[in-house]
Amino acid sequence: MQRLTPDQLRSHQWYGTEGLRSFSHRARTRQLGLSAEEHMGRPVIGILNTWSELNPCHIHLRERAQDVKRGVWQAGGYPVELPVMSLSESFMKPTTMLYRNLLAMETEELLRSHPVDAAVLMGGCDKTTPALIMGAISMDIPAIFVPSGPMIPGNHRGEVLGSGSDMWRYWADKQAGLVTEAEMSGVEEGIARSPGHCMTMGTASTMTSVAEVLGMTLPGAASIPAVASAHTRMAAATGRRVVEMAWEDLRPSAILTAEAYADAVTTVLALGGSTNAVIHLIAMARRSGVELTLDHFDEASRRVPVLADLRPSGAYVMEDFYLAGGLPGLLARIADLLHPGRPTVTGRSLGETLEGAGVHDDKVIRTRGNPLSEEGGLAVLRGNLAPDGAVIKHVAAEPRLLKHTGPAVVFDGHRDLMRRINDESLPITADSVLVLRGAGPRGGPGMPEHGMLPIPNRLLKMGIRDMVRISDARMSGTSYGACVLHVAPESHVGGPLALVRDGDPITLDVEGRRLSLDVPEDELARRRAAWQPPEPVFQRGYGTIFDAHILQADEGCDFDFLLGSGGAPEPDMG
């Protein structure tokens, strides 16, 4: 591979020319306390850090950035830490999905406007991974991802707890009167015991695994626990590697091919990964100029088994997965379903990075002959209720509900849902189909994780733990149940979900991939003619941009003006 010379580095335009601007840039770098020997002729490595004191998934990234810098200095680069927006799934409301595209824009523009030759992207909490990579794709300078890593397992009275998944379980038991306040206090203190993202196969672990299989991380990086010494070593090794990537000019456009995205889809399904990966991968692929649709996920789901026995679909958590061989171990077991010859950030092919990978615990990463499920963890549904598609994580639902017809009970938005779900006068039975609308990309706003609609307390007390639930919302990757999500088009723009009325029969047929509103077409036509679009949610600011340009779930929920890369000029040095 031909290497760049110092005067071919992008930062040379800032530092190395004879003009007044270069003089000014060098002088300002002296102001930073750096001598010429410390940065001139060296690759400038931008470290985009999503650290925040209100993001427990990333609270350790301030220290980890120092480890990345150590590696950069060791390899002869010049590291500069650039703080970016931190999308904290735990605290940001109404949803971090509202701001994924904003972080992607910030990433792209921060890299464009600064003298950066290559970037280290530091994230992990749900939306930070796709956002950082989307921005790096569109900017297309060398970039590598450092996953923040999962937290250690939760524990309560000797029981291993998984963040998210066991919270929902204990909360349902509390509403049913089976758990005391004192016990809930113990769960509260034991379910999240260290820095790091959710240690279940929720959205965070799914998307960092996606980053790894795409070839955007060092091998094995995604499953290393956040507080493990191996995580520190991985960060430093990433710093060393990114300097070489700068000299090699190894860009995302060379790595993120159609084959890479196909392998990411396969891996999500083998992991029993989050439904949110569908939206994010479609958005990332479209940034790369790769056509990826819901049909790709459904086709792969029919041939890819679930091998990772991880919550919420299975029994184990991410530290178990790491010790069992991590993502390299799982990929080794499905190597025949992948494209081993494609490149990665290591400078080696995917197949070469998997040499020597193996599985050390067949209970956690199952064999092909003993899968958790014969089919992948996701199914794509279509029908007159979801003409552009919907998704369900059927491996996390009660099997009795995978073919079901029941009467609709409709809620208009999350506030309406929470206000009325426990109303004793509502005619809700275990056979009812709970419908939430007004929770999509525009209506939510931002498509919040409201898709795991709560089961009424009176049914919980009867032992009911799952019902068919349908919405244009998303749900947490740590959630479970017969939840049909991402119904497109959403109700806010006049999708069929807007036409459903209480009592309407709805049929879910996962095997047949069908979701239908069993109402005569002439009646639906009358309702459609009477439908009035709701008032815009936003009246000012970023929200008005979001409302005007957001695409639907089946298109990845990116902004319509951000698709692809290129099209934005490099800044004029003057």
Side-chain angles (χ1 to χ4, degrees):
M1 179 181 293
Q2 186 173 1
R3 293 167 64 85
L4 300 182
T5 58
D7 63 347
Q8 292 175 315
L9 292 172
R10 184 172 177 269
S11 59
H12 179 78
Q13 300 302 313
W14 272 262
Y15 288 120
T17 65
E18 298 300 322
L20 174 63
R21 289 298 179 190
S22 277
F23 172 83
S24 174
H25 297 148
R26 294 193 297 269
R28 291 300 187 180
T29 306
R30 303 298 163 269
Q31 183 184 6
L32 295 174
L34 292 169
S35 64
E37 293 78 12
E38 291 179 277
H39 76 97
M40 290 295 291
R42 298 171 179 254
V44 179
I45 308 300
I47 302 170
L48 274 61
N49 194 349
T50 52
W51 172 85
S52 164
E53 288 187 340
L54 271 180
N55 192 338
C57 308
H58 295 182
I59 194 66
H60 58 305
L61 291 188
R62 172 181 276 179
E63 291 76 26
R64 211 59 84 242
Q66 300 305 313
D67 302 317
V68 174
K69 290 179 186 178
R70 172 163 55 93
V72 171
W73 286 120
Q74 288 169 351
Y78 165 39
V80 290
E81 187 174 353
L82 303 171
V84 290
M85 187 178 196
S86 186
L87 304 183
S88 172
E89 203 68 33
S90 303
F91 291 103
M92 291 183 76
K93 299 293 181 287
T95 170
T96 55
M97 189 64 181
L98 187 63
Y99 302 105
R100 183 199 69 182
N101 298 343
L102 184 59
L103 176 55
M105 293 172 69
E106 183 183 17
T107 298
E108 179 180 351
E109 299 306 329
L110 193 71
L111 294 176
R112 175 175 292 111
S113 59
H114 286 85
V116 173
D117 297 303
V120 176
L121 314 171
M122 303 187 69
C125 188
D126 294 16
K127 313 307 177 296
T128 55
T129 300
L132 290 165
I133 294 177
M134 286 162 67
I137 290 168
S138 293
M139 182 56 200
D140 201 30
I141 62 171
I144 189 170
F145 189 77
V146 171
S148 63
M151 67 180 92
I152 62 175
N155 194 281
H156 172 61
R157 298 180 179 175
E159 177 192 5
V160 173
L161 299 180
S163 52
S165 303
D166 287 308
M167 177 184 72
W168 313 123
R169 178 171 62 86
Y170 267 96
W171 190 257
D173 285 348
K174 177 179 182 293
Q175 300 304 103
L178 302 176
V179 175
T180 65
E181 289 288 350
E183 187 166 2
M184 286 301 292
S185 179
V187 172
E188 180 179 310
E189 294 180 358
I191 200 166
R193 298 192 302 129
S194 80
H197 60 68
C198 291
M199 82 298 275
T200 50
M201 188 47 67
T203 305
S205 293
T206 302
M207 292 311 300
T208 55
S209 296
V210 161
E212 182 174 334
V213 72
L214 284 172
M216 291 295 291
T217 77
L218 295 183
S223 51
I224 304 172
V227 295
S229 59
H231 198 268
T232 302
R233 297 193 299 271
M234 177 271 294
T238 299
R240 292 190 293 272
R241 175 58 196 153
V242 75
V243 175
E244 291 303 303
M245 289 175 64
W247 290 121
E248 295 163 3
D249 199 26
L250 181 55
R251 304 181 182 213
S253 56
I255 295 166
L256 299 178
T257 62
E259 291 181 338
Y261 286 107
D263 288 352
V265 171
T266 297
T267 302
V268 167
L269 296 168
L271 288 168
S274 168
T275 50
N276 289 300
V278 177
I279 294 176
H280 298 317
L281 267 171
I282 289 173
M284 293 162 68
R286 288 164 72 101
R287 290 286 185 109
S288 297
V290 172
E291 184 65 20
L292 188 66
T293 69
L294 293 178
D295 291 335
H296 290 96
F297 285 87
D298 198 55
E299 184 277 327
S301 183
R302 296 175 186 270
R303 59 179 174 80
V304 178
V306 180
L307 300 186
D309 194 346
L310 299 173
R311 302 182 197 190
S313 302
Y316 297 96
V317 294
M318 285 300 291
E319 186 174 39
D320 301 316
F321 185 65
Y322 169 64
L323 297 173
L327 194 68
L330 180 133
L331 296 180
R333 288 215 156 145
I334 59 170
D336 59 305
L337 303 177
L338 306 174
H339 300 85
R342 60 182 179 82
T344 70
V345 291
T346 65
R348 299 178 292 154
S349 69
L350 175 68
E352 289 172 327
T353 67
L354 296 179
E355 291 175 2
V359 174
H360 317 304
D361 190 337
D362 290 341
K363 298 190 300 297
V364 180
I365 304 174
R366 296 194 178 198
T367 64
R368 296 280 281 274
N370 182 36
L372 186 68
S373 170
E374 294 284 352
E375 282 197 355
L378 305 176
V380 175
L381 309 171
R382 297 186 190 274
N384 70 340
L385 194 52
D388 292 338
V391 300
I392 183 171
K393 189 173 184 176
H394 57 294
V395 295
E398 291 188 9
R400 64 182 177 84
L401 296 172
L402 299 184
K403 189 169 186 178
H404 178 83
T405 298
V409 180
V410 183
F411 301 93
D412 286 303
H414 189 252
R415 287 190 177 92
D416 182 44
L417 169 69
M418 300 311 294
R419 180 173 59 85
R420 295 196 296 126
I421 189 63
N422 287 311
D423 185 338
E424 296 288 342
S425 67
L426 272 181
I428 299 179
T429 70
D431 291 328
S432 297
V433 175
L434 303 182
V435 175
L436 173 66
R437 60 190 177 203
R442 290 183 63 187
M447 208 177 179
E449 293 181 341
H450 294 157
M452 187 183 173
L453 281 68
I455 294 172
N457 289 349
R458 66 180 182 273
L459 295 184
L460 291 173
K461 291 174 182 177
M462 295 167 56
I464 302 300
R465 288 296 184 273
D466 200 2
M467 297 175 66
V468 174
R469 290 159 276 182
I470 299 172
S471 72
D472 45 15
R474 299 176 302 107
M475 76 175 183
S476 166
T478 66
S479 299
Y480 51 85
C483 301
V484 177
L485 310 158
H486 312 177
V487 171
E490 65 174 307
S491 62
H492 196 83
V493 299
L497 208 62
L499 310 180
V500 183
R501 294 182 180 174
D502 287 339
D504 286 349
I506 293 176
T507 295
L508 166 66
D509 180 1
V510 173
E511 185 177 358
R513 299 302 200 256
R514 187 166 67 94
L515 182 68
S516 61
L517 177 61
D518 302 330
V519 173
E521 182 53 42
D522 58 346
E523 171 60 20
L524 293 179
R526 282 192 291 273
R527 296 181 189 180
R528 193 174 293 111
W531 180 79
Q532 294 292 321
E535 291 294 318
V537 176
F538 294 103
Q539 302 297 325
R540 63 178 300 278
Y542 168 73
T544 60
I545 299 173
F546 187 96
D547 187 69
H549 295 283
I550 193 68
L551 298 172
Q552 288 292 295
D554 61 303
E555 300 174 293
C557 293
D558 204 353
F559 289 153
D560 54 15
F561 59 83
L562 288 178
L563 303 184
S565 57
E570 285 278 15
D572 183 1
M573 293 300 103

